[in-house]
């Protein structure tokens, strides 16, 4: 009773307003075109300006557009159309269209205006050609009336006015045969007038329930696609994902919340519930009455606590962030969305998908930080490339409308533009086989045939393919599935089209990033889950330094690295490095090697100085022994840069590379000094001994030794300098191995640094090879020379000991080289092998050379043996007189003694007559004897001797000669 009273009051108010305006004078043009009987004034503002009226602004019913092709005086309020005089135009048939809308439906009105303007100006202003020959034309009259400001007078009062206006138009205006549907709730007001006057109405309503009464009202056709299909692409994509991953839909919760007071909200979400149930999802339906009052006096739609309770049913905090991955579908208003999403964040929700009716509304653009990856649905998308003869795309229609009407329209603008185009398709196809169409008679007397033709139409419009199902609603294409994504390289999220597939410009993103496990090296950040407005965006954060996540996970934190390992931010394993650096202990050992070698070398040099007059030292040539010590000293010094030739990962290798280049210098120069001094000394000894055997006098100066050493040293230095200039050694660290312990998540990276050749094409063996040849040649030459003087007493020559030293070095090299190759990847092992070989080589050679000399010097000569006798030089070319001319090898000194004794015996009388005093033995015997007796002269100053000279000395030899 109360509702009826309210409706009556609204109706009386509307009639009062209409009567008030009817008392005002109306333009004569209106009186002439059949609208004068409506008593409606022109609208006071443009279509868009009227759409902005708020509840406080009254607006009575008014005529916005009357696009009448027969009159230049037609009412074109805020509109332009190229019209010409009727007398100048060929014959055409007028077809009237009427549209009544509430104040806010500017897109519906202006879209139709655009279509009529284009159609009536077609064919050079003749209109649309019809008939078999295309010589008949039709033009359209658009009567667009605004029924009032429903926000000011209320929807019920507006509905009464809406129906009354339509009724009056059909009764008073000729040739009005089609209705262009109104918008929103007002569409329902078109249906009774369509049935009453048997006129087709093209409704712009999505829910299928609007069209279910087709048996009783066959004049209602829906150009909108079924809004019940809006959410279906999202559910289908989710099913495909689960099938692809082998997961069951039974384990995937789908939770649907919707208002029950709206046919659109209810039918859209009920369709989603039915489809999800059919696909086998775990479905939960949550229906609520937005106008109910769970809290007295507060509608549920304004009760935050009530709406939060609904959000708890969508995803509960008890489920936790690791399991709360429901697919959420919500058919709600903008305010509902805000409250529910805020609660879902606090509950730790990470939905697999979120499909919201608000995702394609203005709410989305107002909440740009919330909508990433949100799914939605609608009638049309600007990416659609459907076209007609006037525009390439629907977006081009909107751009045209912006130019003409001053605003960028919505999909309603495109749909309203498409409706007159659909009527043209209907009429042209109906009269296609008729030679001379009688359009007026057909529309009056054969209208049912027109209606039935519409049920079977397959038209191509800017809105897309249009055809009608059994309920006379458009099923020519699917709904426009949408998702907010980043297109191309854009950083901002844009509303992309995901369906129909032939119009899609982006692939659907399902499941959402927030619902996925975090990749290795990251974890779910609870702060992002609760605080990030974008509920579907990635909620993973990189693991902090010192932690790791080895696998995909849904953990709220990363694992700590085991002791002894580290990680950088975002690590999926910890790293333990094995740098193969030489330990401090081994470095100390290397320095100890140096100290021991240097100490022994200095000790030998001190002993050499103190014993410089000892026959052992003199015969061993102290200059050569000194060079031997210096060489050992320098060679051992190579251990110092060997110790310094390393750098930890990340450190500068400049110092280590410099140390690398100094190692071959020190070791090679030391070796050359050691062995060339032995070679020179051996050569000197060989020359002296050889000439002594031949009883010839020869002098070998120290300068000759130095020259010999200097020549070899110069060659060696030249090679070393060329090596440094052309291909210097560099310290390079390389990876040896990488092993991952799956149990601990620790990756051990083993690296080793070493001195290596430069990266250029010159191999270091081009220089190392000649150096090795010089060293080996020195060893061979020295041993060959010493072998030739092996007859000299061990007391004065080193052939045995140098040979032992050479064998000793070869053993060290043969033993150390395989070990060095085997431990090449271990810095410590490589260091100790190289340092040990250098140390043992230097100390071993010095010991083998000096220790025997120290022993002989300490023991001294055997009792009764002179220095000369101790030399033991053999002679093979002197014939013994006692041996019947046969060769009898005796020592040179013994031969001299024997011959001197014989001479004394034969000439005793002569000798006894000489004056008393020491016997004077002439040279060369005297020189040999004096050297052998005193040991104070240089032993290498052995002069040539022959026995004729010795006979000259017999007259002066005293009896003491026999004592020599």
């Amino acid at each position: 009773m109360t509702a009826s009273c309210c409706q009556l009051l609204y109706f009386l108010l509307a009639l009062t307003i209409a009567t008030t305006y009817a008392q005002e004078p109306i333009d004569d043009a209106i009186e002439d075109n059949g609208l004068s009987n409506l008593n409606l004034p022109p609208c006071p503002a443009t279509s868009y300006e009227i759409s902005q009226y708020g509840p406080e602004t009254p607006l009575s019913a008014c005529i916005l557009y009357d696009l009448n092709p027969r009159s230049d005086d037609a009412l074109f309020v805020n509109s332009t159309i190229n019209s010409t005089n009727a007398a100048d135009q060929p014959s055409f048939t007028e077809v009237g269209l009427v549209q009544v809308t509430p104040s806010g439906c500017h897109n519906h009105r202006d879209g139709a205006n655009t279509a009529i303007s284009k159609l009536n100006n077609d064919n050079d202003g003749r209109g649309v050609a019809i008939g078999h020959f295309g010589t008949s034309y039709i033009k359209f009259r658009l009567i667009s009336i605004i029924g009032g400001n429903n926000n000011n007078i209320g929807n019920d009062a507006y509905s009464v006015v809406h129906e009354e206006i339509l009724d009056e138009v059909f009764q008073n205006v000729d040739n009005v045969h089609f209705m262009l549907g109104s918008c929103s709730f007002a569409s329902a007001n078109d249906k009774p007038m369509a049935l009453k006057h048997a006129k087709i109405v093209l409704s712009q309503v999505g829910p299928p329930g609007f069209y279910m009464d087709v048996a009783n009202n066959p004049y209602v056709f829906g150009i909108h696609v079924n809004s019940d299909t809006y959410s279906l692409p999202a559910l289908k994509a989710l099913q495909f994902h689960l099938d692809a991953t082998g997961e069951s839909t039974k384990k995937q919760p789908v939770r649907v919340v919707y208002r029950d007071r709206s046919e659109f909200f209810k039918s859209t979400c009920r369709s989603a519930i039915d489809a999800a149930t059919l696909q086998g999802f775990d479905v939960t339906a949550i229906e609520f009455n937005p106008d109910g009052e769970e809290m007295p006096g507060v509608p549920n739609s304004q009760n935050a606590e009530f709406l939060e309770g609904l959000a708890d049913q969508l995803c509960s905090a008890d489920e936790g962030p690791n399991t709360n991955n429901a697919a959420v579908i919500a058919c709600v208003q903008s305010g509902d969305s805000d409250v529910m999403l805020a609660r879902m964040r606090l509950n730790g929700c990470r939905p697999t998908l979120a499909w919201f009716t608000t995702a394609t509304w203005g709410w989305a653009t107002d909440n740009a930080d919330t909508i990433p990856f949100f799914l939605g649905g609608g009638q049309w998308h600007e990416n659609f490339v459907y076209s007609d003869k006037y525009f390439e795309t629907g977006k081009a229609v909107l751009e045209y409308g912006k130019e003409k009407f001053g605003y960028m329209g919505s999909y309603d603008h495109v749909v309203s533009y498409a409706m007159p185009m659909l009527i043209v398709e209907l009429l042209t196809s109906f009269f296609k086989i008729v030679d001379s169409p009688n359009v007026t008679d057909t529309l009056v007397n054969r209208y049912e045939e027109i209606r039935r033709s519409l049920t079977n139409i397959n038209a191509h419009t800017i809105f897309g393919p249009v055809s009608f199902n059994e309920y006379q609603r458009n099923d020519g294409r699917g709904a426009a599935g949408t998702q907010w994504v980043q297109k191309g390289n854009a950083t901002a999220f844009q509303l992309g089209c995901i369906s129909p597939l032939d119009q899609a410009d982006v692939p659907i993103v399902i499941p959402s990033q927030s619902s996925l496990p975090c990749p290795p090296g990251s974890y779910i950040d609870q702060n992002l889950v609760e605080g990030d407005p974008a509920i579907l965006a990635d909620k993973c954060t990189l693991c902090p330094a010192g932690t790791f996540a080895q696998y995909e996970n849904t953990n709220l934190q990363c694992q700590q690295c085991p002791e002894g390992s580290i990680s950088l931010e975002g690590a999926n394993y910890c790293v333990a490095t094995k740098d193969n650096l030489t330990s401090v202990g081994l470095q100390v050992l290397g320095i100890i090697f140096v100290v021991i070698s240097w100490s022994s070398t200095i000790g030998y040099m001190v002993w050499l100085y103190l014993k410089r007059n000892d026959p052992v030292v003199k015969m061993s040539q102290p200059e050569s022994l000194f060079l031997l010590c210096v060489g050992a000293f320098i060679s051992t010094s190579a251990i110092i840069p060997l110790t310094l030739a390393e750098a930890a990962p990340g450190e500068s290798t400049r110092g280590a590379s410099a140390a690398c280049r100094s190692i071959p210098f020190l070791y090679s120069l030391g070796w050359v000094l050691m062995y060339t001094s032995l070679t020179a000394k051996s050569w000197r000894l060989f020359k002296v001994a050889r000439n002594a055997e031949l009883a010839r006098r020869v002098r070998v100066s120290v300068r000759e030794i130095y020259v010999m050493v200097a020549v070899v040293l110069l060659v060696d230095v030249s090679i070393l300098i060329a090596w440094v200039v052309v291909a210097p050694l560099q310290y390079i660290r390389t990876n040896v191995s990488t092993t991952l312990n799956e149990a601990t998540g620790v990756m051990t990276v083993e690296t080793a640094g070493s001195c290596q050749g430069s990266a250029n094409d010159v191999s270091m063996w081009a220089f190392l090879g000649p150096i090795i040849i010089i060293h080996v040649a020195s060893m061979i030459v020295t041993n060959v020379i010493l072998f030739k003087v092996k007859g000299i007493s061990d007391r004065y020559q080193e052939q045995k000991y140098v040979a032992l030293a050479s064998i000793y070095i070869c053993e060290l090299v043969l033993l150390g080289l395989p070990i060095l190759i085997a431990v090449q990847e271990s810095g410590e092992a490589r260091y100790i092998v190289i340092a040990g070989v250098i140390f043992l080589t230097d100390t071993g050679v010095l010991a083998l050379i000096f220790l025997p000399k120290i022993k002989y010097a300490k023991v001294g000569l055997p009792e009764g043996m002179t220095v000369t006798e101790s030399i033991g030089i053999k002679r093979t070319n002197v014939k013994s007189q006692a041996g019947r001319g046969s060769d009898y090898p005796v020592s040179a000194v013994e031969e001299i003694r024997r011959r001197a004794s014989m001479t004394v015996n034969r000439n005793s009388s002569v000798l006894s007559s000489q004056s008393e005093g020491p016997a004077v033995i002439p040279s060369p015997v005297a020189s040999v004897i004096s050297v052998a007796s005193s040991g104070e002269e240089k032993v290498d100053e052995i002069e040539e001797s022959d026995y004729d000279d010795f006979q000259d000395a017999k007259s002066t030899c005293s009896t003491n000669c026999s004592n020599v």
Side-chain angles (χ1 to χ4, degrees):
M1 183 67 180
T2 304
S4 299
C5 291
C6 290
Q7 290 177 354
L8 178 59
L9 289 174
Y10 284 134
F11 176 69
L12 292 175
L13 177 61
L15 288 179
T16 301
I17 294 172
T19 303
T20 301
Y21 278 99
Q23 294 172 354
E24 298 180 1
I26 300 177
D27 194 290
D28 290 340
I30 299 177
E31 294 176 358
D32 293 338
N33 60 25
L35 293 179
S36 58
N37 293 331
L38 300 182
N39 296 319
L40 296 177
C43 290
T46 66
S47 177
Y48 178 75
E49 290 169 346
I50 292 173
S51 72
Q52 303 304 303
Y53 285 3
E56 71 286 349
T57 306
L59 176 68
S60 63
C62 60
I63 300 174
L64 182 67
Y65 305 127
D66 180 13
L67 306 184
N68 188 345
R70 292 192 178 277
S71 174
D72 286 337
D73 298 324
L75 181 65
F76 300 114
V77 179
N78 301 297
S79 174
T80 59
I81 167 176
N82 294 329
S83 62
T84 59
N85 251 316
D88 299 331
Q89 294 189 15
S91 175
F92 65 86
T93 302
E94 179 185 299
V95 178
L97 311 176
V98 63
Q99 184 182 47
V100 180
T101 57
S103 58
C105 301
H106 56 293
N107 278 292
H108 301 70
R109 298 185 290 264
D110 296 337
N113 183 305
T114 299
I116 298 304
S117 299
K118 292 293 184 182
L119 290 170
N120 287 348
N121 281 282
D122 202 6
N123 294 306
D124 296 326
R126 293 190 293 270
V128 178
I130 62 171
H132 179 68
F133 297 106
T135 55
S136 299
Y137 297 91
I138 57 174
K139 285 191 175 184
F140 294 92
R141 180 183 183 184
L142 173 63
I143 301 171
S144 181
I145 300 173
I146 298 178
N149 183 358
N150 61 298
N151 294 319
N152 178 257
I153 64 175
N155 291 339
D156 291 338
Y158 172 81
S159 296
V160 173
V161 175
H162 187 109
E163 292 183 17
E164 286 293 331
I165 292 173
L166 284 174
D167 194 28
E168 289 293 324
V169 169
F170 284 120
Q171 291 181 24
N172 294 286
V173 182
D174 294 334
N175 298 327
V176 176
H177 300 290
F178 299 94
M179 271 194 290
L180 303 181
S182 187
C183 64
S184 188
F185 73 94
S187 298
N189 302 321
D190 297 332
K191 294 172 70 175
M193 292 301 102
L195 179 61
K196 178 179 179 179
H197 296 282
K199 300 298 181 184
I200 293 171
V201 58
L202 296 176
S203 297
Q204 302 186 58
V205 177
F210 187 86
Y211 307 98
M212 300 304 290
D213 194 27
V214 64
N216 296 320
N217 189 352
Y219 297 99
V220 179
F221 288 80
I223 192 169
H224 273 197
V225 297
N226 190 352
S227 59
D228 284 5
T229 63
Y230 283 0
S231 64
L232 301 188
L235 288 172
K236 197 66 177 176
L238 179 58
Q239 182 184 18
F240 285 158
H241 165 71
L242 294 175
D243 290 344
T245 56
E247 300 176 56
S248 172
T249 55
K250 295 180 180 179
K251 296 181 180 180
Q252 174 62 59
V254 174
R255 291 165 186 172
V256 186
V257 60
Y258 61 94
R259 289 179 169 226
D260 65 357
R261 300 293 98 176
S262 163
E263 175 66 19
F264 168 69
F265 289 140
K266 186 174 182 178
S267 67
T268 300
C269 270
R270 287 304 312 180
S271 174
I273 292 169
D274 294 341
T277 302
L278 185 64
Q279 291 170 310
F281 289 104
D282 176 17
V283 182
T284 301
I286 307 167
E287 180 180 303
F288 74 98
N289 179 3
D291 300 326
E293 297 181 358
E294 292 292 322
M295 180 184 293
V298 181
N300 290 336
S301 61
Q302 299 176 26
N303 185 345
E305 186 176 348
F306 173 80
L307 294 174
E308 287 174 353
L310 298 178
D312 290 341
Q313 295 180 60
L314 293 175
C315 62
S316 171
D318 297 335
E319 293 178 274
N322 290 345
T323 57
N324 203 342
N325 302 131
V328 176
I329 298 176
C331 299
V332 294
Q333 288 283 10
S334 299
D336 308 337
S337 299
D338 292 334
V339 177
M340 290 181 184
L341 288 171
R343 182 69 171 190
M344 289 168 65
R345 293 187 195 98
L346 291 179
N347 287 347
C349 296
R350 298 187 296 116
T352 298
L353 65 85
W355 188 97
F356 275 60
T357 50
T358 54
T360 55
W361 299 354
W363 173 87
T365 55
D366 294 337
N367 292 272
D369 55 349
T370 300
I371 50 83
F373 304 108
F374 265 60
L375 291 150
Q379 291 293 318
W380 176 85
H381 189 275
E382 66 176 16
N383 187 68
F384 282 4
V385 292
Y386 303 121
S387 62
D388 63 14
K389 65 182 297 185
Y390 305 109
F391 296 100
E392 290 295 326
T393 63
K395 188 175 182 180
V397 174
L398 299 183
E399 291 169 348
Y400 176 87
K402 182 179 181 181
E403 231 180 89
K404 185 174 182 179
F405 304 107
Y407 68 92
M408 193 71 175
S410 67
Y411 78 91
D412 289 320
H413 194 114
V414 179
V415 178
S416 295
Y417 167 86
M419 290 191 295
M421 299 298 175
L422 179 61
I423 294 172
V424 169
E425 287 275 345
L426 171 64
L427 296 177
T428 54
S429 63
F430 186 85
F431 292 111
K432 189 172 184 179
I433 62 172
V434 180
D435 293 342
S436 300
N438 189 337
V439 178
T440 301
D441 179 70
T442 302
L443 290 174
V444 173
N445 299 313
R446 300 170 58 192
Y447 195 80
E448 177 60 17
E449 295 178 34
I450 296 289
R451 188 198 67 79
R452 292 182 183 181
S453 294
L454 184 58
T455 62
N456 295 306
I457 198 168
N458 284 288
H460 296 277
T461 71
I462 202 89
F463 184 62
V466 176
S467 60
F468 297 101
N469 63 11
E470 67 271 25
Y471 298 107
Q472 298 184 174
R473 60 98 36 77
N474 183 12
D475 64 355
R477 64 168 174 81
T482 61
Q483 186 173 33
W484 287 93
V485 295
Q486 292 170 305
K487 294 183 180 181
N489 296 323
T491 55
F493 281 79
Q494 304 174 49
L495 189 61
C497 178
I498 60 172
S499 66
L501 292 179
D502 63 335
Q503 302 294 314
D505 65 336
V506 294
I508 190 170
V509 180
I510 286 180
S512 70
Q513 292 183 0
S514 67
S515 66
L516 294 174
C518 292
S522 60
Y523 69 102
I524 296 175
D525 190 336
Q526 188 68 20
N527 293 327
L528 289 179
V529 173
E530 297 179 0
D532 184 7
I535 195 170
L536 300 181
D538 186 11
K539 296 296 179 289
C540 297
T541 297
L542 295 178
C543 293
T547 64
F548 75 103
Q550 192 172 1
Y551 306 105
E552 284 189 348
N553 68 91
T554 55
N555 300 327
L556 298 179
Q557 61 182 8
C558 297
Q559 293 178 260
Q560 291 291 327
C561 285
E563 186 177 356
S565 63
I566 61 172
S567 70
L568 299 177
E569 184 182 42
N572 54 359
Y573 48 80
C574 296
V575 177
T577 57
K578 185 177 180 182
D579 300 330
N580 284 303
L581 294 173
T582 307
S583 65
V584 175
L586 285 181
Q587 290 178 337
V588 171
L589 179 60
I591 299 302
I592 291 174
F593 285 168
V594 174
V595 171
I596 293 173
S597 180
W598 282 359
S599 299
S600 63
T601 301
I602 294 172
Y604 292 141
M605 294 172 73
V606 171
W607 178 85
L608 191 63
Y609 176 77
L610 295 176
K611 297 295 184 178
R612 62 185 179 277
N613 294 322
D614 190 281
V616 173
V617 174
K618 282 184 172 291
M619 285 292 292
S620 297
Q621 306 166 41
E623 297 84 358
S624 298
L625 294 177
F626 178 78
L627 289 178
L628 180 67
C629 291
V630 171
F633 193 94
I634 295 174
S635 177
T636 304
S637 301
I639 297 177
I640 297 176
L642 179 67
T643 304
L644 300 176
E646 73 175 5
E651 292 183 355
S652 172
T653 60
R654 184 176 180 180
S657 295
C660 285
R661 289 188 283 272
S662 64
I663 293 172
F665 259 96
L666 294 174
Y667 185 68
S668 182
L669 292 178
W671 176 285
V672 167
L673 281 175
M674 287 175 63
Y675 256 89
T676 53
S677 64
L678 285 175
T679 304
K681 188 171 80 70
S682 301
W683 173 78
R684 188 183 189 193
L685 181 60
F686 165 74
K687 191 173 182 180
V688 170
R690 184 64 175 169
N691 282 278
E693 289 178 359
L694 299 174
R696 291 184 303 187
R697 184 170 186 174
V698 64
R699 177 182 294 273
V700 182
S701 66
V702 175
R703 181 174 176 276
E704 292 181 59
I705 295 177
Y706 290 155
V707 169
M708 185 180 299
V709 173
V711 169
V712 179
L713 195 63
L714 181 62
V715 174
D716 193 65
V717 169
S718 300
I719 296 173
L720 291 170
I721 292 175
W723 189 356
V724 171
V725 172
V726 176
L729 289 177
Q730 295 179 346
Y731 182 83
I732 299 175
R733 180 166 289 277
T734 56
N735 285 339
V736 175
S737 64
T738 301
T739 56
L740 177 62
N741 188 324
E742 297 284 348
T744 62
V746 176
M747 176 177 286
T748 302
V749 179
E750 184 176 0
T751 62
S754 61
C755 297
Q756 301 178 21
S758 299
N760 56 32
D761 296 333
V762 181
S763 171
M764 68 176 181
W765 288 100
F767 308 96
L768 190 59
I771 291 174
I772 292 175
I773 292 173
I774 292 175
H775 293 182
V776 173
S778 297
M779 290 176 59
I780 295 173
V781 170
T782 302
N783 281 277
V784 168
I785 293 174
L786 289 175
F787 180 78
K788 290 181 176 295
V789 293
K790 63 181 183 297
I792 297 178
S793 170
D794 292 344
R795 183 182 184 90
Y796 302 108
Q797 63 100 2
E798 298 91 357
Q799 190 275 331
K800 178 168 67 177
Y801 304 109
V802 172
L804 289 175
S806 299
I807 295 172
Y808 169 70
I809 291 173
C810 290
E811 288 179 346
L812 287 176
V813 171
L814 292 175
L815 181 63
L817 189 59
I819 296 175
L820 186 62
I821 295 173
V823 301
Q824 186 64 27
E825 297 174 352
S826 171
E828 289 190 335
R830 186 175 62 250
Y831 173 82
I832 196 63
V833 169
I834 295 175
V837 168
I838 294 174
F839 170 73
L840 293 175
T841 299
D842 296 339
T843 56
V845 170
L846 289 178
L848 288 170
I849 298 298
F850 276 93
L851 291 181
K853 299 185 183 306
I854 294 173
K855 170 189 171 185
Y856 286 123
K858 182 177 180 181
V859 172
L861 293 172
E863 186 176 355
M865 180 179 289
T866 65
V867 174
T868 303
E869 292 174 328
S870 69
I871 293 176
I873 299 177
K874 301 300 181 180
R875 182 166 180 176
T876 60
N877 61 342
V878 179
K879 293 182 178 181
S880 173
Q881 293 181 3
R884 296 180 303 275
S886 63
D887 289 340
Y888 182 80
V890 294
S891 74
V893 175
E894 289 176 349
E895 182 69 14
I896 293 171
R897 284 179 176 274
R898 185 182 62 79
R899 292 190 181 188
S901 178
M902 292 173 60
T903 303
V904 169
N905 292 332
R906 285 198 308 266
N907 301 288
S908 58
S909 58
V910 176
L911 291 173
S912 61
S913 65
Q914 301 295 323
S915 61
E916 295 182 0
V920 179
I921 304 174
S923 178
V925 178
S927 63
V928 175
I929 295 176
S930 63
V931 170
S933 300
S934 66
E936 296 178 357
E937 301 296 331
K938 292 184 179 180
V939 295
D940 58 337
E941 295 180 356
I942 301 176
E943 299 177 351
E944 296 180 0
S945 173
D946 63 44
Y947 293 102
D948 294 334
D949 294 335
F950 185 78
Q951 294 295 331
D952 296 336
K954 63 183 179 180
S955 59
T956 58
C957 186
S958 66
T959 57
N960 294 329
C961 287
S962 60
N963 297 325
V964 178

